Amino acid sequence: MNELFEMLGNIARRRKVETGSPFASLKATEKWLKALPADSDYDAHHALVEGMERFNAENEVATLGRMQALLKLESVGLPLQHRIVDQYVRNQATFRLARQALWRETWVFWSLQADAWLGMLKQAYRGPHSADLKPHVAEMAVRALRYAALVMRWDYHQARNPAASGWCRLHKIYRLVERDGLERKEVMFNSRATHCAREYTLPMLMGLVQPVGYRAQEIESIAQIFEGYTPLPLPEKVPYVDVHTHMVDLSQDESAFVVEKGMGQGRRLRYFAFRPLIDYLKKLDASPDAESDQFFTRQIASLIERGGIRRNRQRTHRFGRVWVASGMPNILAALLGPGAVKHSPVLEPWMLRDESTDGLGFALPEEQVLPHGRLVAVSWDPAENVWQLLATRWNREEDGQNLVGTQRLSRHPKRVEIYSESQTAQSEQEKVWAVYLPMTHTEQSTSNLLIPQSHYKLGASLMLREDDVVYRLRLGEVQESHEEWLRVSMDVVGREQELAVAA
């Protein structure tokens, strides 16, 4: 009788292999992949995504054979995925519905791969076959980091900031491999040598740039620039004051941030030396072979240099309504004052949520995705003509509210007239306006100037009229691009009072 039960058990196990999961072995996976639709990339990709969903839902014990099956799914899936991504990026201006479907297909693929490799990595440490899988931890961790970072990058494509859990996942994976000394062990991934420290650094850089509001082509261009930069700075445990510019806290749910005064040292703090990368990005715009838009890489360098807004900085809860002028035409009209009826701005009521030393947080009743860097002027009472100028840095949804974070650029912005030295008195219609930003929060704590992009040239001389005083300026580097406007540094080389007024 026992022999009969054993024979029946063997038959059942064989049938399970034959009729059960198509991913039970490498051979079964290859057979399943051969049946994918061959006449359409989208149909083949969709079928592959459904297969990945089934692979993850099986929740089987991780083995070497199952890892080989997952690698086979990846090797077939990545070329398909790259073609879908190429269609998605190229079709941004047309086929809105198709664009959304392509975005979802790519996002789901990245998400399923991230979950599959994270599960495989966990079982390499705690599963029944950990002895067989442990030698492959670096390969698993590289993929778990890469795919988790791609999920977060695809959130940026939808003008969404990555969830806090995404940053926590990256930090935990990196801490795990760093503990075992595997963070810089090279592995081959997608025909390229890489390692965990590099795959961890790349999403930290994207977090510093915070590309919410960038176009899909721009986000992918930023990623390609970072990935193509060979001497990419890697996280270090020991800080050096004149070397390291940024740091990340592995115990927090956020990206890296700029090093502040009084650099500390702790078990969960890691440090980056991004200065060479920042200098490289600034030089890209000056290169005659640069394919990117003018000032694009310089703006990216500025965002990294500034370090973004840390959401866990000390904030004071503030409530109440303020009036906001959004966009440069409304800001220029607002700075004219309440008496300028002809140029009255369109003001929106926003509700304050909190304030830090760097900016203001708002809670808006409806979803209102503002591009990264969109300028807003804020006043508690427009009749007093006292405004602050801020730039939006992030949007996120929380508890049914649309939260907006802004960075303060100046507490006392001033509308001024600009013209070239060769120009004389101008008529009202010909005047060109700019915004003077006294003592902005830049690294050098110097004043900046907001001017139309068409009026900027590095090192050019420019005249600035404020009331009855005329200043001669020399334009410096672009600090940031705000749509069609540039925030630039400047040097004052001369000052004179207008003769008509002085007489």
Side-chain angles (χ1 to χ4, degrees):
M1 184 65 71
N2 289 337
E3 292 178 357
L4 178 61
F5 281 130
E6 185 177 351
M7 182 180 68
L8 291 173
N10 290 334
I11 293 172
R13 280 190 290 273
R14 282 199 300 270
R15 284 181 176 173
K16 182 178 180 181
V17 171
E18 292 170 0
T19 62
S21 169
F23 314 112
S25 66
L26 178 59
K27 189 174 182 179
T29 304
E30 290 174 340
K31 182 179 178 182
W32 182 84
L33 288 168
K34 286 179 181 178
L36 289 177
D39 54 346
S40 166
D41 280 347
Y42 184 84
D43 291 343
H45 187 278
H46 191 71
L48 186 68
V49 164
E50 290 180 340
M52 281 296 307
E53 288 176 338
R54 181 173 178 180
F55 182 93
N56 288 355
E58 287 171 353
N59 202 24
E60 294 283 346
V61 171
T63 62
L64 274 178
R66 193 161 173 82
M67 178 183 167
Q68 290 172 345
L70 183 55
L71 284 169
K72 191 64 181 178
L73 288 170
E74 177 189 81
S75 67
V76 173
L78 279 181
L80 275 173
Q81 176 79 338
H82 292 154
R83 292 199 290 271
I84 295 295
V85 168
D86 184 58
Q87 290 182 40
Y88 164 72
V89 172
R90 284 190 292 106
N91 291 329
Q92 290 298 301
T94 55
F95 308 119
R96 185 176 62 85
L97 295 178
R99 180 184 65 200
Q100 187 64 21
L102 292 171
W103 174 87
R104 184 187 177 281
E105 281 290 311
T106 53
W107 183 86
V108 171
F109 180 86
W110 298 139
S111 300
L112 292 170
Q113 286 284 348
D115 290 343
W117 285 109
L118 180 63
M120 196 72 63
L121 181 64
K122 288 179 178 179
Q123 293 206 44
Y125 281 92
R126 297 197 299 262
H129 300 280
S130 60
D132 296 331
L133 295 172
K134 203 68 181 290
H136 304 282
V137 161
E139 298 170 65
M140 297 176 187
V142 158
R143 287 168 167 81
L145 287 167
R146 164 58 67 121
Y147 291 124
L150 284 165
V151 171
M152 298 167 78
R153 194 161 102 202
W154 246 247
D155 281 333
Y156 290 129
H157 282 278
Q158 293 290 303
R160 295 198 306 247
N161 278 294
S165 58
W167 296 115
C168 290
R169 174 184 284 199
L170 292 176
H171 298 332
K172 287 178 180 178
I173 295 172
Y174 185 74
R175 281 163 51 193
L176 190 66
V177 293
E178 188 186 59
R179 185 195 68 186
D180 290 350
L182 300 172
E183 73 275 17
R184 300 196 185 186
K185 180 181 177 181
E186 284 199 348
V187 300
M188 292 300 297
F189 173 68
N190 200 22
S191 303
R192 180 177 178 177
T194 186
H195 49 66
C196 292
R198 183 177 181 83
E199 296 301 327
Y200 178 73
T201 301
L202 291 171
M204 294 305 113
L205 281 167
M206 290 298 285
L208 284 168
V209 175
Q210 293 182 341
V212 173
Y214 279 99
R215 298 190 299 269
Q217 296 93 331
E218 293 172 329
I219 294 172
E220 293 308 293
S221 294
I222 295 169
Q224 289 172 17
I225 291 171
F226 291 159
E227 290 174 14
Y229 185 70
T230 304
L232 191 70
L234 304 176
E236 303 281 354
K237 291 184 179 180
V238 180
Y240 295 98
V241 175
D242 296 327
V243 175
H244 292 111
T245 58
H246 294 72
M247 59 195 293
V248 63
D249 190 338
L250 300 179
S251 64
Q252 296 293 330
D253 56 1
E254 62 180 4
S255 176
F257 48 89
V258 72
V259 168
E260 298 171 347
K261 292 181 179 179
M263 178 192 293
Q265 186 172 352
R267 288 191 312 112
R268 299 290 175 84
L269 299 179
R270 299 294 179 269
Y271 307 89
F272 298 94
F274 286 144
R275 175 55 56 190
L277 173 60
I278 291 169
D279 294 340
Y280 167 76
L281 291 169
K282 288 181 177 179
K283 290 177 182 176
L284 273 185
D285 274 335
S287 170
D289 299 326
E291 296 180 359
S292 57
D293 293 337
Q294 193 179 21
F295 312 121
F296 178 64
T297 57
R298 197 178 300 173
Q299 179 183 356
I300 302 307
S302 175
L303 292 170
I304 298 172
E305 196 169 27
R306 189 178 57 245
I309 299 296
R310 290 196 66 197
R311 295 182 199 166
N312 63 350
R313 284 179 180 169
Q314 187 64 39
R315 287 182 171 267
T316 304
H317 290 291
R318 295 197 64 177
F319 302 100
R321 185 184 65 179
V322 294
W323 293 97
V324 174
S326 177
M328 282 305 299
N330 282 320
I331 290 172
L332 289 171
L335 295 180
L336 271 176
V341 180
K342 182 180 177 182
H343 302 283
S344 58
V346 176
L347 301 181
E348 305 172 40
W350 285 14
M351 295 304 296
L352 267 175
R353 185 172 184 265
D354 50 32
E355 181 178 17
S356 73
T357 55
D358 290 323
L360 299 171
F362 301 94
L364 306 184
E366 299 177 359
E367 184 176 355
Q368 186 177 352
V369 177
L370 300 171
H372 184 109
R374 167 64 63 86
L375 296 170
V376 294
V378 175
S379 177
W380 275 259
D381 186 358
E384 296 180 357
N385 199 30
V386 177
W387 297 88
Q388 296 185 32
L389 191 72
L390 305 102
T392 59
R393 295 303 181 206
W394 51 264
N395 292 68
R396 76 174 188 268
E397 188 176 339
E398 185 177 292
D399 299 329
Q401 287 185 312
N402 179 36
L403 305 184
V404 177
T406 62
Q407 181 187 16
R408 184 182 293 109
L409 301 180
S410 178
R411 292 182 182 273
H412 306 288
K414 298 180 181 179
R415 172 174 165 146
V416 294
E417 181 190 350
I418 58 171
Y419 55 93
S420 65
E421 283 188 281
S422 60
Q423 289 177 297
T424 56
Q426 304 167 76
S427 66
E428 184 70 26
Q429 288 76 17
E430 295 174 334
K431 288 185 177 180
V432 178
W433 301 103
V435 179
Y436 171 56
L437 307 176
M439 299 298 290
T440 56
H441 292 282
T442 60
E443 190 174 281
Q444 297 83 16
S445 292
T446 57
S447 300
N448 284 178
L449 186 67
L450 271 170
I451 63 173
Q453 184 171 317
S454 57
H455 284 67
Y456 174 76
K457 184 179 179 181
L458 180 62
S461 293
L462 198 68
M463 306 302 291
L464 182 152
R465 180 183 287 112
E466 180 189 356
D467 298 327
D468 60 338
V469 180
V470 175
Y471 297 88
R472 182 178 289 104
L473 312 176
R474 182 176 293 111
L475 298 180
E477 289 192 344
V478 174
Q479 304 299 307
E480 188 175 359
S481 171
H482 302 274
E483 296 166 277
E484 298 298 321
W485 287 70
L486 303 177
R487 178 159 51 88
V488 303
S489 61
M490 63 181 186
D491 293 318
V492 179
V493 296
R495 176 183 183 276
E496 60 186 46
Q497 194 166 21
E498 289 192 295
L499 295 177
V501 178

